[in-house]
Amino acid sequence: MEQSVGSLQDQALKRKERLKALRGRQLQGRAPEDGEPERKRALGEEEAEEERHRELKLRNYTPEDEELKERQVPKAKPASVEDKVKDQLEAANPEPIIEEVDLANLAPRKPDWDLKRDVAKKLEKLEKRTQKAIAELIRDRLRGNEEELAEAVGAVRVEEGDSD
């Protein structure tokens, strides 16, 4: 029984030593004995350094304490952008292309312009049909004139034959 009590005390002492070593590593940074790859250790060390070197910057807060007033960041003044804006506005305004104003372009359209536009296709078809009909009528009259002309020529020949 004394051996079991002695071994329990030894185990407790070993645990205490490990906990002390663990706390020491956490306070000082990670030790290379962790078994971590070097890449992860390097990243961990960089993060720890950033945390240590991080300073308090007071941008929007006006502190009352003298020590904190030293850490206050001066108010930033916006950069002047008036010149850039003027250049962009000048580039955006193109020079007017039309110098003379036509009154026809400014005059409002007649109220029936949309009706004329819609009927224009139908009128084109009708115009083609009208032209064909006129051509057919002219041909018919010419055929009728040819027959009358032939009759007149025939009548003239008959009269010439009689006069001989």
Side-chain angles (χ1 to χ4, degrees), residues 1-93:
M1 182 121 139
E2 289 179 23
Q3 290 179 349
S4 64
V5 173
S7 66
L8 288 175
Q9 287 177 348
D10 290 338
Q11 289 176 356
L13 288 174
K14 288 180 184 177
R15 260 193 313 253
K16 284 183 182 179
E17 289 176 11
R18 280 186 281 168
L19 286 172
K20 280 185 181 179
L22 185 63
R23 282 189 199 128
R25 278 187 253 146
Q26 286 178 348
L27 293 176
Q28 294 176 356
R30 295 193 173 160
E33 301 169 1
D34 290 345
E36 290 183 287
E38 290 182 25
R39 291 183 303 179
K40 287 188 178 180
R41 267 189 261 142
L43 290 175
E45 290 173 6
E46 288 176 10
E47 290 174 2
E49 286 179 24
E50 286 179 17
E51 289 178 12
R52 280 187 242 141
H53 295 294
R54 184 176 282 173
E55 293 181 14
L56 183 63
K57 295 180 183 179
L58 303 172
R59 289 188 177 91
N60 298 326
Y61 175 70
T62 307
E64 294 180 10
D65 188 24
E66 293 298 324
E67 290 180 20
L68 292 177
K69 281 186 179 180
E70 294 173 4
R71 295 183 179 183
Q72 187 175 8
V73 177
K75 301 212 179 224
K77 294 181 181 178
S80 176
V81 293
E82 292 176 358
D83 295 332
K84 292 180 182 178
V85 170
K86 286 180 183 177
D87 293 340
Q88 289 178 355
L89 287 175
E90 290 173 2
N93 291 334

Side-chain angles (χ1 to χ4, degrees), residues 92-102 105:
N93 291 334
E95 295 181 18
I97 297 171
I98 301 172
E99 293 179 5
E100 296 179 13
V101 178
D102 294 334
N105 291 339

Side-chain angles (χ1 to χ4, degrees), residues 144-160:
N145 285 342
E146 286 178 4
E147 291 174 3
E148 290 175 11
L149 184 60
E151 289 175 9
V153 170
V156 171
R157 285 188 185 168
V158 172
E159 289 178 9
E160 285 180 10

Side-chain angles (χ1 to χ4, degrees), residues 101-113:
V101 178
D102 294 334
L103 294 178
N105 291 339
L106 293 178
R109 294 182 175 177
K110 293 182 181 178
D112 61 347
W113 70 271

